[in-house]
Amino acid sequence: MSTPVTAGTAVERPYEIVVGLEVHVELTTESKIFCSCPTRFGAEPNSQVCPVCLGLPGTLPVLNRRALEQAVRAALALNCRIQPVAKFDRKNYHYPDLVKGYQISQYDLPVGYEGWLEVGDPANPRRIRIRRVHLEEDTGKSLHDQAPGASVVDYNRSGIPLLEIVSEPDIRSAEEARDYLMHLRQVMLYTGVSDARMEEGSLRVDCNVSVRPRGSDVFGTITEIKNLNSFRSVVRAIEYEAQRQWEVLSAGGTLRRETRHWDERREVTVALRRKEEAHDYRYFPDPDLLPVPLPADWVEEIRASLPELPGARRRRYVLDLDLSVRDADTLVGDPGLAGYFEDLLAAGAEARAAASWVLTQVLAWLNAQGAGIDAFPVPPARLARLLRLVDEGTISMTAAKDVFEEMVRTGAEPDAVVEARGLRQISDQAALLEIVDRVLAANPQPVADYRAGRQQALGFLVGQVMKETRGRANPQLVNDLLRQRLSSDG
Amino acid sequence: MPVTPDDVRRVAQLASLELDPDDETRLVQKVQQVVEYVDRLQAVDTAGIEPLAHPYAGSSTPMRPDTARQGLPVDEVLANAPDRFGPFFRVPRMIEEGQDD
Ligand SMILES: [Zn+2]
């Protein structure tokens, strides 16, 4: 009962893929990391900038306390150790979207380090180590299709707080990379640190990819694929790049350590033009910012305020509640839905039945309405009551679905609907036996067929009883009674 | 450690500075002096001394609450821009992609 973490094709490959991921997530602060400009997405170009985030001379950065707190929160949720004193450094390079000629980032004393995130089957998870989690400011955004023959820059993004999460090269397939990203994204959502919307660029991924012969423990030459903006692109780009590297090596060629771009349309990676100079960011401590102590008691306060994290929840759903990995993933992946499921459990519903209802009936309604769980009109306690009516055999599953429809439509209590529509299941053996005998008498041919060994005739007879009772007969009981009657007297 | 003209040219390039040959000769000497000064500092025995990230030892960085305030009007933002295109800064075309080989 496990979803394989590695792609099926991995087995046939002569090589192993080695991947490390650098993920940038945008924090959910109201204001930027070092100035008070708003962080709202989609504003008019250059409408959310000030002298600080434009890098004008004479300005000084002042750290946003909430951004720091969110960084610690995320680092803790990723099982990191927290630096007692963090500091900010300057990463120096020149690019039009970088206003000051340096980016304020963290070099040797990041907020968090030595963490991990579990992926794969909760019964047998793989632990991907996290090297570091650090805070930095985002750059502006360059656009190349606005002005003819030129590029243009919008600095609204300049100074938006980012968290960079760097994994160790522990990922062994494109699928595992996706799995890691899915779990990382869930951690961001559960902790409220980021809304992690890839389509809005609030979660961006750089992949470091290399290959090596299966069984080798030596690392190959790494290429970096920059700025992937969907899980699908990540998977395709890693698959493509690994295959390309292996073909170069198999043909006796050598690989260059280089940065490559994923061409979404052609589905290939392309080398970025190599700059004359090697990258040399000449990091040094930013003299505009003093060291940032992260006192242990404050850190522990933040740790205590963490909710149940997606990894723990997933483990509990699979190992304790016996849900399938797939169902657990769907629930955990939607915190609202998972919350509703938790409320059902609290109201006494049996876990597997509750998961099944949430993931079929409830989800179908939400999808049809294009609504979130907040808009779902049936309170958990009321749905739990309906589940109980099924569990106790008071109504059939078929009837329960009708009751559910009505509850959603009218907000009625399940018991009231059952009574009003006479849906109470007939579990009275004597009453059912009478109907069974009537059906057997009226259908001599199917009875003969069944006795001649044609099992499917039983289905027809069950159907007849259900019809007689307008669907209210307990199907299991009908089955038992029919078999009993058909085998006893010939 | 002797500083070479190559070192100076590399640092200049990283800093996006254009140097003429006279500048280069002069800067080789200047940078040599700085490096020698640092060499002297390196000779100091710092074993057992806490690394110092900032001269204001003991103080910590001031912080601000997370409240947003509207920035500058776009015309003021672009007032000093050498070139603009509507609400954008216009810059020389940046071509990122090269040919695969
Ligand atoms: Zn600003």
Side-chain angles (χ1 to χ4, degrees), chain A residues 132-204:
Chain A
R132 54 187 285 140
V133 172
H134 75 247
L135 260 179
E136 62 184 28
E137 56 179 350
D138 205 350
T139 64
K141 188 177 181 189
S142 312
L143 302 156
H144 310 291
D145 55 358
Q146 302 284 315
S151 297
V152 301
V153 192
D154 171 9
Y155 291 110
N156 282 348
R157 236 175 52 185
S158 171
I160 297 237
L162 293 182
L163 208 58
E164 180 171 333
I165 300 152
V166 183
S167 86
E168 295 290 350
D170 288 349
I171 295 165
R172 291 291 173 268
S173 71
E175 287 305 315
E176 193 167 74
R178 174 166 49 199
D179 208 23
Y180 170 85
L181 289 173
M182 181 186 86
H183 288 100
L184 186 63
R185 183 170 180 276
Q186 287 172 1
V187 170
M188 297 302 127
L189 295 178
Y190 274 62
T191 52
V193 157
S194 174
D195 56 20
R197 291 199 185 106
M198 285 191 98
E199 66 283 6
E200 289 182 7
S202 63
L203 188 155
R204 311 197 283 272

Side-chain angles (χ1 to χ4, degrees), chain A residues 34 124 206 307:
Chain A
F34 296 120
N124 185 23
D206 300 340

